Amino acid sequence: MPLPSEFSALEPYLAWDLATEPERYAKRLASTMDEMQEFYDAAFPLLEDAITFCDKFPLDDLSEEARTVMHLMQSLVMVSFPVEVWKQPRVPDSGAAYLDVIVEPVV
Amino acid sequence: MPHYKKPDAGSWTQHYPELGTAPVDYTDSIDPAYYEKEREAVFKRSWLHVGRVERLPRTGSYFTKELPVLNTSLIIVNSGDGKIRAFHNVCRHRGNKLVWNDFPGEETEGSCRQFICKYHAWRYDLTGKLTFVQQEGEFFDLDKADYGLKEVPCDVWEGFIFINLNPQQTLAEYLGDFAKGLEGYPFGEMTEVYSYKAEIGANWKLFIDAFAEFYHAPILHQKQAVKAEAEKLIGFGFEALHYELKSPHSMVSSWGGMSPPKDLNMVKPIERVLRSGLFGPWDRPAIDGLDPLPAALNPAGHRAWGQDSFEFFPNMTLLIWAPGWYLTYLYWPTAVDKHIFEANLYFVPPKNARERLAQELAAVTFKEYALQDANTLEATQTMLATRTVSEFPLCDQEILLRALHKEVGDRVKEYSDASAV
């Protein structure tokens, strides 16, 4: 799904167009910090515009484009901890611990 | 000098003299024989929360609940006569598990008009009555009325479904004054759910311990705050606004400076844009019931109030956040040194993308914290099991831990004494 032109900077990051938390979390763990930093640097400045764009639609009836933008922003939230705080993909000191999402609202 | 006023007895702990102030023996978290007694004395006779009514919206909506600690699996169903019912998940013919998909050990949910056993097609209606037996004429003096599903006492408080194998009190009596004081909170409006599950390599009480004190927060979670803020938090340490025990339940009331923060520089960039974080979205949802709050919330009446965490004995945490959302934690033992941890976050359904992303950030942040909390537990369990040290000093901010271990201990002792007669 091509993005609206105002979000063309996100075209290289469409692999982050992921609908569910388990997919986003898995991609986070499989990514390097450089990859996540690059995505964050492209997406963070567009966060406010993305919200404005998506809010033109009812949340339960987003256009295909808007769904993609939402998924990318959900992925931005996912990488924000590694990028802003941890400086690594995993939660520090979390060892083998896991916590699976079993129910979530999916956009 | 405490920042928040303590009771006249000098401390929260001494305000409840039955607790004592001595070090606490944690053998109760590593001894397999003690665990077996807990199952009998605590879990098989307490009201246990198994899910919300929103999971059962229509007649015939059901879910199953695997409860190894009770050595059973239950079917919880909306039986259509205004009642939620619970049944042991076992067919009366030859013991097949009645409701399951593909993997008998996994929980399932759905909607049906009746329960039909996969094995020989015996059928039960939604109230548990046996209604059909395949080749009934082949049986000997079989009266279907004698072979209904085995029902388990089940009741609902404010939309929270509880079951109890062997009730000593009604649910309302059991939950007591804390529950009464929470009635009217708009739980039913908060239907946007995020649920999490993990197997934790530690005794169930250890995870409650971890969530029932915030003494650890400035240290274990220090990297989650920006640096200057983390240093300030460590300097202050943690003090609750209020603690209260209403045996066997307890609660802690805490400040909530982060929703919204006094200074935006205290929080991370994404939190500034999405106006959300660990404490939830900063902007309250526009629903009734949040102002004024029910009497049990913010018992100290403090303007800096941020959250109240109720420990409903034995294994349910109900945490209500000032910005208008709540979560539950359940701790389901599977062995003395293992349990299944479940967390459920409940928000008012978002009206737009902005609200949706604010909730997303709160949910993601919750998981970052919980993973840190979870991993310390296995390390604690391993070292407790060495029995190098068995008695541990608990501070005044750990009063709920002291209360939990005592409540369990009292019940185990009473049960052991009664069985010994």
Side-chain angles (χ1 to χ4, degrees), chain B residues 202-397:
Chain B
N203 185 269
W204 63 282
K205 297 187 293 301
L206 297 188
F207 214 168
I208 303 183
D209 285 356
F211 283 121
E213 58 89 356
F214 301 107
Y215 169 55
H216 74 274
I219 310 300
L220 181 67
H221 303 305
Q222 59 177 290
K223 288 183 192 153
Q224 305 232 19
V226 298
K227 192 161 178 288
E229 186 58 21
E231 282 165 5
K232 205 169 80 192
L233 290 172
I234 293 173
F236 278 133
F238 173 82
E239 286 174 35
L241 299 176
H242 190 81
Y243 291 97
E244 204 159 328
L245 308 186
K246 291 184 192 291
S247 172
H249 317 295
S250 59
M251 70 88 68
V252 47
S253 184
S254 305
W255 63 276
M258 292 297 199
S259 56
K262 278 195 276 297
D263 175 358
L264 283 179
N265 292 319
M266 287 161 64
V267 301
K268 300 185 281 295
I270 193 118
E271 296 177 61
R272 279 173 230 157
V273 178
L274 292 179
R275 299 181 55 78
S276 179
L278 179 69
F279 290 53
W282 303 343
D283 302 302
R284 314 293 197 258
I287 56 165
D288 290 337
L290 295 176
D291 188 19
L293 288 165
L297 291 174
N298 189 12
H302 204 284
R303 63 188 157 71
W305 179 67
Q307 54 140 289
D308 285 348
S309 184
F310 294 84
E311 300 301 331
F312 283 108
F313 187 82
N315 70 331
M316 176 191 187
T317 302
L318 171 60
L319 200 166
I320 297 174
W321 297 87
W325 64 291
Y326 76 97
L327 58 78
T328 57
Y329 300 142
L330 286 312
Y331 319 81
W332 298 107
T334 49
V336 64
D337 56 359
K338 260 194 280 211
H339 71 277
I340 302 286
F341 170 69
E342 267 178 42
N344 304 287
L345 279 52
Y346 297 92
F347 300 95
V348 173
K351 288 194 298 296
N352 50 42
R354 182 177 297 281
E355 291 182 3
R356 177 65 181 76
L357 287 170
Q359 293 177 1
E360 180 87 16
L361 179 59
V364 163
T365 307
F366 156 76
K367 179 163 163 172
E368 308 285 321
Y369 275 78
L371 278 169
Q372 285 191 311
D373 288 319
N375 198 50
T376 60
L377 300 178
E378 206 162 316
T380 306
Q381 185 74 33
T382 319
M383 292 318 292
L384 289 178
T386 66
R387 295 182 188 252
T388 313
V389 184
S390 56
E391 296 205 326
F392 297 90
L394 297 183
C395 76
D396 202 29
Q397 303 295 333

Side-chain angles (χ1 to χ4, degrees), chain B residues 15-33:
Chain B
H15 185 60
Y16 298 96
E18 66 278 13
L19 294 179
T21 54
V24 170
D25 188 337
Y26 268 69
T27 310
D28 69 357
S29 300
I30 57 169
D31 177 6

